């Protein structure tokens, strides 16, 4: 049986990259790849890939992928493809939610093995969350006949800006975490490499690795729930920014003297484009407390107020998108969050408002230069999947400096 | 004497990159580098750099840089540094301005040799501009005892969005160029590789190669003249966007029902942040037609109206910058264009408005995570310098596919 330490030794080896390294790196980033795809990903000759692959299969590091049914949102594998041996290592994904932590474990072959939500109540303390995550992860491993020894790393998705070093500066949703170093806290508990990013950035990582952006290097993720978030991906990398504040598109002010936002500014996109105001106003009109799902259901049932409110949000979102497009002119925009559940009901007015307000209008440019807007593949669990993705994507670059960075 | 063809052969050679290639690539991108800097840029051992450098100096491709005075805005060389042999090749930079073309020639060692403006009147035809550029460049070469045989490539700076392929979709300043392929047109005339980009993107390239962003990989260029433009640089690359529309920050709408903009949208940042309105209104108040320079002079002389108008523009620009920062949270912002000539008079209210409206405020984060705002090094000729930079930066990657791309 292949051990985690053998894979780690291979990954941490310094010096020139051999074909064996290149193949391990490609598989750790992409999950499963066919011979032809491996040639493309490594830019190596067919014979070189073939020789190195034989060596890797002999030593049990790489295995032929079985055809399986889709599991936990991660697409099923294709036939005649290869993956890292799932027994070679695992990783833990953590999503710090409003009232608890969601944990999952996945193997090196990109399969989600198990998942669990641990309720902690509002404003939970970091220590509490970390202890619960450790206990919860240990239980998930035990229940699946695995041990934490095989853990390659932990990925954490945070509802707020995180610097690349793991510092949480300010978090309106998780105030107790402000000023902490989330990578350091988890690394102290797990004694393994820890990666952390904002939840929308994690969502973008998931779409990039397995979802709607799989074949793209540049896109904008636009996430609309009770709040509005996003991520900017350039050349295959999620932009983090000087202080981890990149992608906070909900806090672009699009109305100088607009209403006060929770961030302290006025006229933020979030105020007009989030589903908070529809939920509030419809609750008022219907005389009972509604949640987003109720609003979506009402709209589907033909309630004209619900439809109007969704259209108005979509219109504001499209206008905001046009402002963003003036800056980065993205080839692809992925709509995520619960607004995506409204499908065409949201997408149509969103696209129309974008087209009306954009500097580069689709009708003025050849099709290949137009911005495509589509709904993401992992609307509801993209942040957790992306947390796992942070680790899997990093396996290939987990050189010694990263292993000891924290 | 070293010939251009020898350098071109070296640059176009396919296959594995040798230390010789790596050094030529680093020098073509950075201009002049010391031994220590060459080691850093190539990640090669000192002895390897030393051996390859000796070989390159023996064959006359690389020379020791002389200490010279500053020329044409390109910073003077440092002692004990090396450059590509200036005689190894030259390039032409072209800036398509409102009423004519500005041309310069530079050598492979990053020295601007000569410069010329050819007046063509408003709305000049592309054919006219290209013929004038060819004639003008030939004259510049002749006057400096050079021949066009040594031409490595041509860089063109355009006042409007340009796709990476060179297609000009829409240009409010140069309507006659809409729908043309600027790379193709110039390549047909010059029979050499042609690179083209938007003028603000070119400005960013100049600041990145030689100026205020020399030690940075991520920044936002914010150009304020009669119009407002910009460029987004991520990981050392200027973002172009799906249709060449990236960096068109003047056309982000920051006021839903704001005034109509020349782009067809309402409330664009350009309307409030450009120096057009101050110039217009001060002309009215003073009863004579003023240009930007008059407004700046009036402000310096203490005219309260001029100072107020500049402050208002700076305030709007700072607000717009805060919206952009919510998206990319840039570590560095470079102010360019004639607004930069106002110095602190513009910079102070610009910074204050940014700090007031930004999601990530400087006072909330450690100094190393704060956004730095500074004035560019090449405020007035950055676009032309950047056009040259497009060619110089590409020398290292001018592989065969590029040479024959057009």
């Amino acid at each position: 049986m292949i051990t985690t330490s053998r894979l780690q030794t291979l990954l941490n080896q310094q010096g020139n990259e051999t074909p064996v390294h290149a193949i391990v790196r490609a598989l750790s980033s992409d999950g499963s790849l066919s011979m032809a795809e491996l040639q493309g990903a490594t830019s190596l000759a067919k014979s070189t890939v073939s020789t190195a692959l034989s060596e890797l299969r002999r030593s049990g590091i790489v295995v032929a992928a079985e055809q399986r049914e889709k599991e936990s949102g991660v697409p099923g594998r294709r036939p005649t493809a290869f993956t890292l041996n799932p027994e070679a290592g695992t990783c833990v994904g953590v999503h710090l939610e409003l009232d608890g932590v969601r944990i999952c474990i996945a193997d090196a072959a990109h399969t989600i093995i198990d998942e669990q939500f641990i309720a902690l109540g509002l404003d939970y303390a970091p220590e509490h969350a970390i202890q619960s995550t450790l206990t919860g992860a240990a239980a998930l491993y035990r229940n699946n006949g695995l041990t934490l020894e095989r853990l390659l790393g932990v990925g954490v998705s945070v509802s707020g800006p995180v610097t690349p070093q793991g510092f949480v500066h300010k978090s309106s949703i998780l105030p107790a975490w402000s000023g902490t170093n989330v990578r350091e806290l988890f690394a102290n508990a797990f004694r393994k490499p820890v990666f952390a990013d904002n939840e929308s950035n994690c969502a973008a990582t998931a779409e990039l690795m397995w979802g709607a952006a799989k074949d793209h290097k540049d896109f904008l993720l636009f996430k609309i729930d009770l709040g509005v978030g996003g991520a900017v991906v350039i050349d295959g990398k999620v932009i983090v920014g000087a202080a981890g504040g990149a992608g906070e598109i909900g806090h672009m002010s699009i109305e100088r003297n607009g209403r006060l936002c929770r961030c302290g500014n006025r006229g933020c996109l979030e105020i007009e484009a989030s589903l908070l105001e529809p939920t509030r106003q419809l609750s008022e009109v219907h005389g009972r407390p509604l949640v987003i799902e109720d609003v979506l259901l009402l709209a589907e049932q033909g309630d004209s107020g619900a439809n109007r409110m969704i259209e108005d949000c979509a219109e504001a979102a499209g206008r905001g998108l046009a402002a963003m497009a003036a800056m980065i002119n993205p080839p692809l925009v992925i709509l995520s969050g619960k607004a995506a559940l409204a499908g065409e009901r949201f997408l149509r007015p969103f696209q129309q408002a974008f087209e009306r307000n954009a500097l580069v209008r689709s009708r003025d440019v050849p099709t290949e230069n137009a911005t495509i807007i589509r709904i993401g593949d992992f609307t509801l669990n993209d942040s957790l999947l992306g947390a796992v993705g942070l680790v899997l994507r990093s396996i290939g670059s987990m050189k010694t400096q990263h292993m000891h960075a924290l």
Side-chain angles (χ1 to χ4, degrees), chain A residues 100-148:
Chain A
V101 290
R102 192 170 293 278
I103 310 169
C104 74
I105 58 176
D107 66 28
H110 291 212
T111 300
I112 302 290
I113 298 167
D114 209 347
E115 188 177 333
Q116 189 193 1
F117 178 74
I118 305 175
L120 298 173
L122 292 172
D123 291 336
Y124 52 85
E127 299 71 33
H128 188 190
I130 285 155
Q131 200 47 55
S132 303
T133 302
L134 197 56
T135 316
L140 285 179
Y141 273 84
R142 215 171 30 244
N143 298 344
N144 289 279
L146 298 166
T147 75
L148 272 164

Side-chain angles (χ1 to χ4, degrees), chain A residues 90-349:
Chain A
T90 58
C91 54
V92 170
V94 186
H95 185 201
L96 302 177
E97 297 191 3
L98 187 61
D99 54 352
V101 290
R102 192 170 293 278
I103 310 169
C104 74
I105 58 176
D107 66 28
H110 291 212
T111 300
I112 302 290
I113 298 167
D114 209 347
E115 188 177 333
Q116 189 193 1
F117 178 74
I118 305 175
L120 298 173
L122 292 172
D123 291 336
Y124 52 85
E127 299 71 33
H128 188 190
I130 285 155
Q131 200 47 55
S132 303
T133 302
L134 197 56
T135 316
L140 285 179
Y141 273 84
R142 215 171 30 244
N143 298 344
N144 289 279
L146 298 166
T147 75
L148 272 164
E149 270 169 37
R150 290 157 185 245
L151 182 62
L152 293 165
V154 178
V156 187
S157 159
V158 186
S159 308
V162 188
T163 68
Q165 296 78 36
F167 197 69
V168 183
H169 287 308
K170 194 178 170 177
S171 175
S172 39
I173 298 180
L174 301 170
W177 293 78
S178 293
T180 65
N181 187 314
V182 72
R183 289 183 69 180
E184 222 168 76
L185 291 175
F186 277 90
N188 287 343
F190 279 89
R191 304 264 155 221
K192 291 288 173 183
V194 174
F195 305 87
D197 208 342
N198 170 273
E199 58 176 343
S200 296
N201 288 354
C202 286
T205 298
E207 295 291 356
L208 185 65
M209 290 181 73
W210 306 294
K214 197 165 173 4
D215 300 320
H216 294 262
K217 296 180 84 177
D218 304 288
F219 68 98
L220 176 75
L221 182 105
F222 200 143
K223 194 165 193 172
I224 303 182
D225 280 310
L226 287 180
V228 169
V232 181
V233 179
I234 303 285
D235 211 15
K237 285 184 201 147
V238 182
I239 302 308
V240 174
E248 290 289 340
I249 60 176
H251 301 288
M252 295 179 67
S253 175
I254 55 163
E255 194 77 54
R256 182 177 191 168
N257 294 315
R259 276 177 46 208
L260 181 67
C261 177
R262 62 187 169 116
C263 75
N265 205 344
R266 298 180 69 157
C268 287
L269 179 59
E270 179 168 285
I271 291 176
E272 287 190 55
S274 86
L275 296 171
L276 182 63
E277 204 52 32
T279 308
R280 267 193 195 149
Q281 294 198 28
L282 282 157
S283 297
E284 211 176 294
V285 166
H286 288 265
R288 58 186 171 100
L290 301 176
V291 293
I292 294 181
E293 286 76 3
D294 300 320
V295 173
L296 298 178
L297 186 64
L298 279 169
E300 212 178 299
Q301 290 167 345
D303 181 286
S304 59
N307 276 298
R308 171 60 185 266
M309 291 304 279
I310 288 172
E311 272 167 34
D312 286 356
C313 285
E315 195 276 332
R319 232 174 343 113
L321 178 60
M324 296 173 220
M327 215 178 154
I328 59 163
N329 186 202
L332 174 68
V333 176
I334 294 180
L335 176 66
S336 169
K338 289 184 182 164
L341 299 178
E344 282 299 314
R345 190 168 276 112
F346 190 97
L347 208 54
R348 209 174 324 106

